[in-house]
Amino acid sequence: MSAALLSWFLYRTVRAPQREATVTVLALNRNMIAGTLVTDADLKVVAVREREAPKGVLRRKEDAVNRALLVEGSVNEVLLDQKLARQGGIEGIAATIDEGMRAVAVRIDSVSGAGDLVQPQARVDVLFTKAGKMSEALTSTILQNVKVLSVGTRVRPGEKVDPKAPKAGVVTLLVSPEEAQKLELGKNEGRISLVLRNPGDSRTLAKTDPVTSEVLDPLGDRPAPKRPKVAAAPAKPQPPLEWNPPPDLNVKKKPDAVVDVFRGGKHTQEVFR
């Protein structure tokens, strides 16, 4: 009997699973995109090991309902307080706009949008180009290191879109109120293009002077330099017509006027007194 009890004790100690303390936390009941308002139906209660419960995990539904997701969430994902907008925040993507910032939409195509490489959460520079004559055209960098909030209806990097959808679209940029004014002016006065940045490069240029057409064509459409005027040489006086009467003309006195007359190949002189 003692041997049986000893064997059972060793089995429970060595082989039987050890029970650990658990806690109940909130998790998502479905996949959700950023900006979605969380409802009671989107939540469920799950049990996790107490030592594995992450910091900031929510445990009561009233702490999560009517708050918007700041990032996308997956089904069964434990819900953290830092992934939700403040209590009473508005629904939709607007909940992801930081305080003091503004969302401004810019229409682009496959060229001005960096060849469709611009994705949500990317960082871009904004170029403004003023069209016109060659002497009037210029390009300047008006904004630097700007965050892309969304591209069309996409708010997540790599989100699939309909391949039949047109390439032209709208990019929403996250800017300050002052930058929003500058961006709106550029949209109405010329052409806006986006330049994709390395996400790890936060450097900005201190000097962003406009680039003019002189870098492409130093002469541009400026008129050619005028040649200096050369004074015309004074006309040489013509020598007076000499009297040269034919031998058969018996004229001794020089007439007042003599006119050379050419008729075909025949040459005669008419005398006038």
Side-chain angles (χ1 to χ4, degrees):
M1 184 67 179
S2 299
L5 290 174
L6 180 59
S7 297
W8 176 84
F9 177 79
L10 291 174
Y11 174 80
R12 288 295 305 270
T13 304
V14 178
R15 302 296 302 274
Q18 300 293 321
R19 298 186 61 181
E20 296 184 0
T22 60
V23 293
T24 56
V25 299
L26 293 180
L28 294 178
N29 204 27
R30 64 185 180 93
N31 295 328
M32 302 177 67
I33 65 173
T36 305
L37 200 66
V38 177
T39 65
D40 185 86
D42 298 325
L43 302 171
K44 62 182 177 180
V45 177
V46 297
V48 298
R49 296 174 182 176
E50 186 176 14
R51 63 185 179 88
E52 294 178 355
K55 184 178 180 181
V57 65
L58 296 176
R59 302 187 181 187
R60 302 184 307 167
K61 286 188 176 182
E62 53 264 35
D63 292 334
V65 173
N66 292 328
R67 297 175 67 183
L69 279 173
L70 296 177
V71 294
E72 65 176 319
S74 303
V75 62
N76 298 325
E77 180 182 352
V78 174
L79 195 56
L80 303 180
D81 182 72
Q82 56 265 34
K83 291 186 177 182
L84 296 174
R86 299 189 316 275
Q87 191 73 31
I90 60 176
E91 182 181 4
I93 193 63
T96 63
I97 300 176
D98 299 331
E99 290 189 21
M101 302 297 284
R102 304 291 185 268
V104 179
V106 177
R107 183 170 296 279
I108 62 167
D109 53 30
S110 58
V111 177
S112 59
D116 291 332
L117 294 177
V118 175
Q119 297 288 327
Q121 310 304 315
R123 292 279 175 171
V124 297
D125 289 346
V126 181
L127 301 185
F128 165 73
T129 299
K130 180 181 178 181
K133 295 181 180 179
M134 195 68 173
S135 59
E136 300 173 347
L138 60 85
T139 295
S140 61
T141 301
I142 58 174
L143 300 177
Q144 300 184 66
N145 198 25
V146 176
K147 181 180 178 180
V148 177
L149 194 61
S150 65
V151 179
T153 58
R154 292 175 294 162
V155 295
R156 303 187 303 272
E159 185 177 357
K160 294 182 179 180
V161 295
D162 185 358
K164 297 181 180 180
K167 293 295 183 180
V170 175
V171 170
T172 303
L173 303 178
L174 194 62
V175 296
S176 67
E178 295 78 12
E179 291 173 332
Q181 293 177 337
K182 186 182 295 186
L183 187 55
E184 282 298 314
L185 180 62
K187 288 164 51 179
N188 288 281
E189 295 298 326
R191 184 171 181 266
I192 293 296
S193 301
L194 304 182
V195 181
L196 188 62
R197 296 177 64 102
N198 186 317
D201 181 9
S202 60
R203 294 174 297 176
T204 58
L205 299 176
K207 188 177 182 181
T208 56
D209 294 337
V211 175
T212 65
S213 59
E214 291 185 356
V215 300
L216 303 176
D217 184 1
L219 292 179
D221 56 1
R222 289 175 295 179
K226 296 182 179 180
R227 295 182 179 180
K229 293 183 178 180
V230 179
K236 295 181 179 180
Q238 296 294 328
L241 186 64
E242 296 182 359
W243 167 241
N244 186 20
D248 57 344
L249 185 61
N250 187 16
V251 179
K252 295 182 180 181
K253 185 178 179 182
K254 185 176 181 179
D256 296 333
V258 179
V259 178
D260 288 315
V261 179
F262 295 89
R263 294 184 178 89
K266 186 176 180 181
H267 172 220
T268 60
Q269 289 184 324
E270 296 291 339
V271 177
F272 296 91
R273 298 186 179 279

